[in-house]
Amino acid sequence: MKRLRKFITFILAFIIILSFKSVYADEVKINIPKTIHEDKKIEHIGPGLVHEEILRFTTNGWYNINVLRYNTLDELSTIRAYKGDEGISQRKTVSSILESNDLIAAVNGDYFHYNPVSTLGIMANDGKLEISPADPDYKTPSFFFGKTAGVGYFDRDIKIYNHRIKKDIFVNSYNKISSPYSTIAILDSNWGKNSLGSSKSKKNVEVLVVENTVKDIRRGGKPFELNENNYVLSSASDKLDEFQIGDRVDLKINLPGLENLKFAIGGGSIIVKDGKLTLTDINSKGNNPRTGIGANEDGSEIILVTIDGRSNNYTGVSQELFAHIMRELGAYNALNLDGGGSTTMAIRQKGEKDTQIVNNPSGKKERPVVNAVGIKSNAPIEELSYLKLSANKDALFPGLGTPISVSAYDKYHNRLNIENLNISMSLTGVLGDVSTKYFTPQSSGKAEIIASVGDISASTTVNVFNEAIELNCNKDRINLASGQSVELKDFYAKDENGNKVYIPQDKISFEIIGDIGHMEGSKFVANNTSASGGILCHYLNAIDVIGVSVGTEKLELDILEKDLNISNSTYPEGVGANSDFKDEKVMGENSVALNYSFPSIEKGNRAAYLNLNADSNGVYLGRTNVIGLNVKGDGKGALLKAVLVDKNNKEHSIVLANSLDFTEWKYIEAKIPNSINGELRLKRIYIAETDAEKNYSGEILLDGICVLKPREIDYEILPKKTYAHDHLIYLKDEVLPFSIGIYPTNLDKYCGYEASKKLAESFNQSSDVLILNKTTDKFFDSINIKKAKMGNGFSSGIVGGVKYINIYANSKGIRSANTETWFKLIKELENFEGKNLIITLPTPIHSMSDKRETDLLMRFLNEKAQAGVNLFVIAASNRNHVELLDSIRYIELKTNVSNEWDIKNISKVNFYLSDENLSYIIDKPYNE
């Protein structure tokens, strides 16, 4: 709901005169995003009603569009404006409104005010007014359906004639209230069970009218009960003082055309008028969730639309773009309804038990609203017309089953009870057992499951892969403290081609190796002793091996020795610092002394730094949770801190000791926050004073730096994990390969120029080479074969006789980096007719944050792989990794070195092409 207008004055009464305002601006001009790809599902919900689910990927992002198309000529269903079961005064969710009114579909309705609850515009049904439209000075438009369907404005005038005083009294609103409640409002049974009474104002006066006679008057009293035979005049003023009990009154509503209205509902702005995009009233700016209602030119179809936003990576749309989409969907006239967190579409076919919310409300749940537009089916139950059949899983292994669902419908799309039907189930393509509830294959192949009643049938397919060879869990290694536990879940297995099947946890058996703990179902609970071992997870012959360590171990790093390059710096100017090596020690040959002096300053902090190997970004610690060191304090009470550098060269400051108020050697430890993870370097240790007035100097000694690391896992005692063998891995060495690799950042810094030279020599052994990431000109020039450097744009070509496509992407995805890349990629894939294809990216496909885009890319690639193409996806990454998944080889190559030992992790891919047969190996040039 949007508080978009001063609401206090809009609750005046009306004569409804339908006046189409002729003042419309020139057609709204907008930039329309290009559609990259679109999926559409169509389903009949009831007589004259179709639901379309449109998932559209555009250059602006993802649009989740849900459409209800209602045929106004269908005599077995009706469309109306609906409220909840407690009346207009109580907001209800769309699903609640649908269920209490026995509807088959509904969307949220008019804009509304929270407190007091009131809509902006009109609500009318079957020629009767239920909510009055807004004050003409604050007009809002409406959608109406009668003899035809369209959009426009309702003017308002309503009076109540008192026969005793022979006077018309102007009434401001009908079932609509507004603070300070001094205007006259009529409340009837549509409002709710009771009138206002004194709930809004102790001065409130209420006049109860029954069968055109004033039956009671209350001032600041209890509310009246409302029913179909009465109504109440309500006002916190003296405007009702002329009424007396017994007065005969007439309610005079002049509403030309009301008797022909099947329904009308208010909204925020007319967005399509006579086929042109327009903007008449409320302009809800920005990309947001939207709800709209429209009709085609002859009024034979009413179109209800929701577009999601603010959640699940859906971008939402502007009101102007929403107007374009409404027109694109067939609306000749359209009205923007309430959107944002209110946007909801609910569906429940007649005979169904559960209501579906088919869109994604931005608040993660439905927002209660005042009213909704809904469709009711009045169709009788007929005999069977069609069946639907679906399986929970679309991929299985022999012996692994899946629930299936069979549902039956008549010609009006009413769901029938299948227990009354003689449904036969059959199976082709595989051997197995099938019923109306479950399918278990016994052989591999493409299973077609068929449900039949006479000559009426439905079918669905399930892929049954040959054998589970590789098993994977959500964990590959575990480190726990004593007594801690972890759930092992999300198991999936792969066959020889990497086809993935999810395995239920109750199908997995576990075996513990070592004195590390025990299993409680699928939960592993660690023992209370420090130990190393593993968990073997079995699904038939497929085995996953999870290394387990319980507890930590302290590793002493003898790094504060005389060969360490140290220096000093200070902050601010005037602070003194120097350092030297001292014979006094805790371990090793010496300690390091840090001398400092802190003059008093006006304000701020002071610090004296001991820099460790500053030219190479510190000393290497590796992966650790805790850092410790021995400190001999000077009793002055200064703060001791350290600066750590993570794998992305980002600096983090941590506190080692809050106060150096001791004078003897003391071992101190500091826990490293979980947000600082990965391999770390210690760049500096420093002493700091936060009290600007303190003036002192001193000396501290530092020695024996330690790190606490998870206990090492002894993989030698563990059996080997089973893997799906990739038949394209090259085993011979006869054909000169072409290569794809990277130039590691920081290679020369940590390993010297000879390292670059050796990598260039390794590339020069190939015929062709592609470099995935940026390189120095010197290194690139040292490669004297045919070469190409993948830049920041889309490119394609031939390397070693094989087609490659280089996709430009960033951490968010492809569209975020360059929208045109998708159009070029789709064209290249459509035109590709070869046997071997290599896709290269600057970031791993599974690391891109737009998972929906990732799934779409994998779908395009899977289509090629399933057609028999040998497809490789190679990406620059922070690790080395190879995975065969759905017949595609996903390869990641580590792009950086963070220390001199890291060089052994640098890899490249060597490809071998003989005729059209492509094979590959992962080559590590520095492991020779």
Side-chain angles (χ1 to χ4, degrees), residues 1-2 4-5 7 10 110-113 118-122 131-135 138 140 176 266-268 282:
M1 209 292 298
K2 291 74 176 175
L4 298 171
R5 295 209 174 251
F7 199 80
F10 83 108
D110 197 357
Y111 285 71
F112 62 90
H113 195 272
S118 291
T119 64
L120 261 64
I122 190 174
I131 303 177
S132 58
D135 182 323
Y138 295 91
T140 53
K176 186 178 289 185
I282 297 173

Side-chain angles (χ1 to χ4, degrees), residues 509-621:
S509 60
F510 302 97
E511 179 183 349
I512 302 295
I513 295 181
D515 187 22
I516 55 174
H518 65 280
M519 298 297 300
E520 295 179 0
S522 58
K523 181 171 70 174
F524 172 73
V525 181
N527 282 344
N528 292 324
T529 57
S530 179
S532 170
I535 304 171
L536 272 61
C537 309
H538 296 263
Y539 173 68
L540 301 178
N541 295 321
I543 302 173
D544 192 17
V545 180
I546 304 172
V548 178
S549 65
V550 180
T552 58
E553 53 188 359
K554 183 186 291 186
L555 179 63
E556 295 181 343
L557 304 177
D558 197 15
I559 55 180
L560 294 179
E561 299 299 315
K562 290 184 179 180
D563 59 350
L564 178 68
N565 178 19
I566 60 175
S567 64
N568 298 101
S569 56
T570 62
Y571 176 84
E573 187 177 351
V575 173
N578 64 77
S579 56
D580 200 359
F581 296 100
K582 290 288 185 76
D583 291 336
E584 185 178 354
K585 63 185 184 298
V586 175
M587 60 178 288
E589 299 295 326
N590 54 263
S591 63
V592 175
L594 174 60
N595 294 277
Y596 65 93
S597 62
F598 290 147
S600 60
I601 56 177
E602 289 187 7
K603 61 180 181 179
N605 302 329
R606 287 150 295 161
Y609 298 94
L610 172 67
N611 302 310
L612 309 176
N613 283 349
D615 58 336
S616 60
N617 229 12
V619 293
Y620 181 70
L621 300 179

Side-chain angles (χ1 to χ4, degrees), residues 187 240 292 342 466 754:
L187 305 177
L240 298 177
S342 298
N466 187 34
E754 288 298 317

